[in-house]
Amino acid sequence: MSESLQSTSHEEAGADTDHIPPIVQFLPLQKALDLARANSLWPLTFGIACCAIEMMAASASRYDADRFGAGVFRNSPRQADLMIVAGTVNLKMAPIIKRLYDQMPSPKWVIALGSCAICGGPFDQDDNYAVLQGVEKIVPVDIFVPGCPPRPEALLHAILELQERIKSGSTNATRA
Amino acid sequence: MPLEPEAVEPVAEQKAVYPELIERLRKAGATEVSSLDYSKSGMDVDAQVTPQSLCAVASILKHGHFSLETLVGVDRQPEFEVLYLFKADNEGPRVKLRAKTDRETATLPTLTNVYGGADWYEREVFDMFGVNFIDHPHLRPLLLPHFTKFHPLRKDFHGAPIVIPEDTVEIPELDVQAATKLGQSTGLRSDFFLNMGPQHPSTHGVLRILLHVEGETILGGRCHLGYSHRGTEKLAEKKQYVQFLPYTDRMDYLSPLNYNWGFARLLETATGIESTPRAEVLRVIMCELSRIASHLVWLGTYLLDLGAITPFLYCFEDRERILTIFERATGQRMTTSYIVAGGVRNDVYSTFSLEISELMRDMRKRLVEYDKLVIGNEIFLMRTDKVGIISPELAIEYGVSGPCLRGSGVDYDARRDEPYCELYKELEWKVPFETGGDCLSRSRVRMAELEQSVNLVEQALLKLEDGPVRSKVPKIFKVPAGEYYSVTEGPRGIIGWYLIADGSQIPYRLKVRVPSFANLQTVEQLMPGTRVADVVSILGSLDVIIPEIDR
Amino acid sequence: MIERGFWRGFGSLLTGLGVTFKRMFGKNATIQYPHVPVPVSPIYRGPVRLIAEEVASEHKCIGCLACQRICPTHAIPILTVAKNEQNKNYPVDFVIDDALCCFCGLCVDVCPTEALEHTRIGDMAATSQSLLRREILHEGAITSDNFPTSTGKKENKHV
């Protein structure tokens, strides 16, 4: 695992004050909380482009993300703790994503769904003037899902992967 | 009631010329008026206009019930040229007006006084080329952020660093003014501004609408686009024709096959390559399936917007079955890249016909269910009946197309009225249309279209005969120099591709006329006087795809 | 137009409930992923790899660079070629970036020796972007271990 990659994303996200761990820690309680959090991820309803349709498909009848407790799409960032960036992030959209991320209560996690969200994908080419080279430039990303667009089961796998990481307490998420 | 163009009468079936129209355009001040060969260039009449005569010539077309299809900006180096593409109803001609302006002044008169629908198109040209339109009511960047200082589609622009400034989310004063201007002030000072989107579940993507409201009643509103702008048209000028194929999928991801077909047809018009009979049938089957899938997503998400969750689950279940067929036939679920110039990329699998006819049989039963579940539902009727009425006049002025146009009582469908696929003429089907113009009419048109598409697929399956699926295409794909336009009918309306080729492997300029762009533009006219909840209903009934609009 | 009225409206709600009630006894739609693998089409365009011969590191690539040239998204960042004793080209480094790939299949179509093929892997999800760059030359016989899938790469499982 490249630790350097994660640390840079933290710095770029400007989350410098959030690193400080709470003064008093209750480990068993923390474990229980992590378990609860992992099994009740509430994603933010937020589709930008093609991948959003596959995200919808993942929450619809055939794939049913509800089986993993991650099907309760919330319309308000204040109620969500998982941001699935599904689509191309451009210059005009980037500040809004940053703002939405800031509005979400901690701890919070980000899945970059699809090529565009990972690195600009097919649109970060020769004369690019609009597309951001990956959502990692503005928010810390936990799971990268390649595909253009990724299949719904890839998103489900990403959610499972994220749950694993949350349970082991090793995500990029900032803790309040 | 289909509106007939007044001045024009097609002379011959094959190569129509329009002497009367040409004469009238000449009188109004157009120079160099000539008729073109439709089968080669996709246009009938070509006219050069001076900035002074532009509005007069456009008024002639307006009286002939022409609708403004799109504006194409071109950097001709050194001067700029703006092409205005007009379309008459049904069998009438397509007219192209060309207005030139030099690089230094870069100004043209606005067409918004004649065609209200020119508004956004002119803003887009302003965005991309920096051409100023004098007296335009709201000339602000449409797709690019307000802080950018460049014009990307100019030929001397070669990329820009991606830097995000700090304060971009603020509502600029100008936007507030513009939103205020749209509505009539009631004199009561209880009005305020409401920002809807870009993260809003009912905008189907990232659309932002700045609403000027008084209580629940909307006084006016402005759409803000560009939150999903990806610079596809600039990319097209850097990619070979073959390489651009994957990008056509990603414009309208709900009906990628229809976009594939549009692009393939453009290249076939330009190069004269013909596709094989089997490929033609496969194209019709796949595109109609794609239309069904797209309308199913519309139905599911529209009902989700209106507060019903069940249809969403049902529709996606059916859609998954269609996607499974796509995956087996093309290799991908959504971004298929299947239809190419000269045919389709690969032949279908052995049980293809069997699976589809089984699916269609089930689909028929499902459609009856959906009709019972949705269209008859009282809550649905209350949310949609007599809400957001688009009059036929407004629809034509704004260049609305697809189910939205047919919901307003204009009987036009490119599949029937444009000679782009012979098979549609052979099959037995009808173009559904309603006269209400409200959200309910548009919904009913789509429901009827679902049924017609099932019809079409079933009949097309019987025509599927053995044979090659792709004709011979040269290894190095070049398009002869010239200008071409091709039109196909997607699930949302007319998909037009305008290509300016310079004889190389790379397009000089490629402009896509997307249906959602024109359809969404009417929203600003529909909103005043309605309630906030109605906006959700109107937006959903227009069935817009934001990345298609932003490109 | 549909006639409206209280009783008709009330009836329409009951009709809707009837439809949903009937659906309760229909076939199950959900696939129990990850316990049951999702069926993937035989021609599914997944991540690209070199077709391995019997000997693991042998392949048909002649280093013509056609795939790199046609790729619309520049998803083949590294493809270096050297000449062997018979003055024939062969690849030395061949990296595919799955993060950039748009799975259009143009590279597979263009390959003159049919050295490339698509895998049918559809559920990749990685914890780091660097996991998505693959050195496909020395991959040998492909297994899902080479990919960060649900059944594959253990590297992905975080400590």
Side-chain angles (χ1 to χ4, degrees), chain A residues 88-109:
Chain A
T88 324
V89 181
N90 71 1
L91 213 54
K92 208 168 174 175
M93 195 65 211
I96 292 155
I97 292 196
K98 183 82 182 70
R99 183 185 257 201
L100 284 170
Y101 182 77
D102 290 345
Q103 283 175 339
M104 282 160 59
S106 268
K108 50 199 168 185
W109 303 279

Side-chain angles (χ1 to χ4, degrees), chain A residues 53-68 71 73 152-153 156, chain B residues 296 300 304 309-321 333 366 370, chain C residues 23 26-33 38:
Chain A
I53 304 297
E54 291 294 57
M55 185 170 82
M56 277 153 71
S59 70
S61 27
R62 192 176 191 187
Y63 295 95
D64 195 9
D66 270 322
R67 290 179 294 140
F68 312 111
F73 279 84
E153 65 254 34
L156 296 187
Chain B
L296 282 176
L304 202 60
I309 297 170
T310 322
F312 169 76
L313 299 172
Y314 290 2
C315 291
F316 265 73
E317 194 186 325
D318 289 346
R319 182 172 178 269
E320 284 296 336
R321 290 183 67 183
R333 284 160 55 87
R366 287 294 167 86
Y370 293 145
Chain C
R23 270 287 184 103
K27 231 170 67 189
N28 277 354
T30 311
I31 299 172
Q32 296 295 331
Y33 177 87
V38 179

Side-chain angles (χ1 to χ4, degrees), chain B residues 314 317 366, chain C residues 17-29:
Chain B
Y314 290 2
E317 194 186 325
R366 287 294 167 86
Chain C
L17 283 175
V19 171
T20 45
F21 185 74
K22 242 196 268 169
R23 270 287 184 103
M24 286 207 301
F25 306 102
K27 231 170 67 189
N28 277 354

Side-chain angles (χ1 to χ4, degrees), chain B residues 457-472:
Chain B
V457 172
E458 280 183 339
Q459 291 176 50
L461 276 176
L462 300 176
K463 303 229 172 215
L464 200 60
E465 281 161 12
D466 284 342
V469 290
R470 195 172 182 185
S471 53
K472 268 250 171 290

